[in-house]
Amino acid sequence: MRTDQKLFCLKSASVIFIILLWLLGPVIFGILLWFRLDFWSNEYLEVDQELYRYLILLYIFIVVGGLIVGFAILGIVAAVRAIKWAIVVFIVAMVLAIILTAAGMAYGIVYREELEETISRGTLVKQFIQQRYKGIRFDRATYVIDLMQSELKCCGGESPLDYGESTWQKEKEAERNGRTPLSCCKDYERYQNSEDRFTQTCTIFQQPSNVENVYNPNINRKGCGKALSTFFSDHIYVVVGIGIATFVIEVVTLILISILLKVLNSLYIPQPEEIVYDMAHNQEKSPYPSRGDYRDYYR
C-alpha cells in the first residue's frame, strides 16, 4: 500500500473513533452530572459519611467526560490536517483520560464490594435509624429516613423489628410497642402530606391474628440496608459500564493516532532548496520543466 493510501486510511479511522469519543463525552458528562445532582442520592448520602465516597467515583468520570469534550475537536482537526504538535497534545490528553478511566473503574469495583460489606451486611443503617429517628417535624434525620423508607419500599435497617430497640419507640413505649413509623406502610403516600403523619404508626404484625408474629401485609418488610446498598450499587454498575465502553474506544483511538504520528514522522518531505538543487544538477533551466515528473517528491 502506498504511503498516501496509508495516511488516508489512518486519518479516516482516527477521525471516526475520535468522533465516537466526542459523541460519548457529553453523554458521560451529562449522566454523571445527573447522578451527582440527583435529589434522592443526595438525600440518602446523609445516612453516613461513608456514602460520600460514592461522589469520588462520579467526579472522576465527570473529569473524563470533560477531557474528552475539550480535546476531541482538537484531535479531529489534528488528524485531518496532519498537525503533529496538535496530535501530540491530543495523545497526552488521551493518556490522561485512559488513566483516569481505568482508575475510576477500579475504584468503582472495589467500592461496590465495600458498600455491600458496610451497608448491606453491616449495621450502619440500622444504627442510624435506631439512634437518629425522632418522628418529629423539621428534623433532618427523620426526613431522610421517612424519604428512604417510602421511596425504597423498606423499613428499618435489617427489618421492621429494628424499631423495637429504637430511641423513637422508647420515648413512648406504651403507644409504639410493636409499631413502626407510618413511612414503613405501603400506602404511606396517602398520608404523606397530612398533618398527623408523625402521630400515626404502622403495625408490624397483624392484629388480631390467630397465628403469632404474622407480618402486616401493608408493611414493607425489606430492610433499608439492603435497599440502600442496591440503590447505590445500581448507579455504580451504570458508571462502570460506561467506563468500560469509554476505555475501549479511548485505547483504540490512542493506538490509531499514535500510528498516524509515527507515519507522519517517517515521511520525507523535501525542502524547496533541495528541489532547486536537483533541478540544477540535471541541467533544468526552467522552474516549470516540460519533462520529468516531480510528484514523487511529495509522496
Side-chain angles (χ1 to χ4, degrees):
M1 183 182 292
R2 287 165 41 187
T3 304
D4 57 343
Q5 293 175 331
K6 290 180 181 179
L7 274 176
F8 177 78
C9 291
L10 282 172
K11 286 181 179 180
S12 299
S14 299
V15 169
I16 289 172
F17 276 91
I18 295 173
I19 289 175
L20 286 177
L21 272 180
W22 181 60
L23 295 174
L24 188 60
V27 174
I28 298 171
F29 191 85
I31 291 177
L32 272 297
L33 190 62
W34 173 46
F35 281 177
R36 176 61 187 92
L37 301 177
D38 179 56
F39 172 77
W40 310 114
S41 300
N42 288 322
E43 296 300 327
Y44 301 154
L45 292 175
E46 297 286 336
V47 172
D48 192 83
Q49 292 294 323
E50 174 69 21
L51 294 176
Y52 278 91
R53 292 175 55 196
Y54 161 76
L55 298 180
I56 298 175
L57 178 66
L58 302 187
Y59 289 141
I60 291 174
F61 281 97
I62 287 174
V63 172
V64 170
L67 272 175
I68 292 174
V69 172
F71 286 93
I73 298 297
L74 176 66
I76 294 173
V77 174
V80 172
R81 301 291 299 274
I83 305 173
K84 293 182 183 180
W85 68 266
I87 292 176
V88 172
V89 172
F90 180 71
I91 288 175
V92 172
M94 278 296 95
V95 170
L96 181 59
I98 288 172
I99 292 173
L100 287 174
T101 304
M105 289 190 297
Y107 179 83
I109 293 170
V110 172
Y111 180 62
R112 163 68 181 80
E113 295 300 322
E114 292 180 359
L115 194 69
E116 180 73 19
E117 192 66 32
T118 56
I119 295 183
S120 181
R121 301 193 186 101
T123 59
L124 188 149
V125 179
K126 178 180 178 180
Q127 291 176 353
F128 178 75
I129 290 175
Q130 289 180 337
Q131 297 172 7
R132 300 285 301 278
Y133 190 84
K134 298 178 181 179
I136 58 177
R137 190 186 300 273
F138 304 124
D139 177 64
R140 181 65 180 170
T142 298
Y143 169 77
V144 171
I145 293 170
D146 281 339
L147 184 71
M148 178 173 59
Q149 291 183 151
S150 61
E151 293 299 324
L152 298 182
K153 308 300 180 185
C154 60
C155 184
E158 298 174 357
S159 74
L161 298 176
D162 292 340
Y163 279 98
E165 302 175 3
S166 66
T167 304
W168 172 79
Q169 181 171 329
K170 290 176 182 178
E171 288 179 352
K172 297 181 179 180
E173 191 165 359
E175 297 178 14
R176 296 170 177 172
N177 185 35
R179 295 176 177 272
T180 67
L182 193 62
S183 57
C184 283
C185 283
K186 295 178 180 179
D187 58 352
Y188 174 68
E189 292 181 358
R190 294 170 52 190
Y191 311 96
Q192 192 168 2
N193 297 320
S194 65
E195 295 296 328
D196 58 346
R197 67 182 182 275
F198 294 111
T199 58
Q200 297 185 40
T201 57
C202 188
T203 57
I204 299 176
F205 302 108
Q206 285 186 356
Q207 295 178 351
S209 174
N210 297 327
V211 182
E212 188 177 359
N213 295 343
V214 176
Y215 272 100
N216 177 6
N218 192 39
I219 194 171
N220 295 309
R221 296 171 57 180
K222 179 173 62 176
C224 289
K226 182 66 176 178
L228 192 63
S229 175
T230 300
F231 175 85
F232 282 108
S233 293
D234 291 344
H235 283 64
I236 292 172
Y237 283 138
V238 172
V239 175
V240 173
I242 292 174
I244 292 173
T246 305
F247 182 80
V248 172
I249 299 177
E250 286 172 342
V251 170
V252 174
T253 303
L254 180 62
I255 292 172
L256 289 173
I257 204 73
S258 299
I259 295 174
L260 176 60
L261 181 63
K262 181 179 179 180
V263 171
L264 289 174
N265 286 332
S266 65
L267 285 179
Y268 171 68
I269 302 178
Q271 300 301 314
E273 58 270 17
E274 294 175 337
I275 298 176
V276 172
Y277 174 81
D278 190 60
M279 291 170 60
H281 182 72
N282 291 287
Q283 297 181 350
E284 295 286 349
K285 301 194 182 277
S286 171
Y288 305 99
S290 59
R291 65 181 183 276
D293 192 354
Y294 287 85
R295 287 178 298 177
D296 291 336
Y297 286 106
Y298 298 94
R299 290 185 179 176

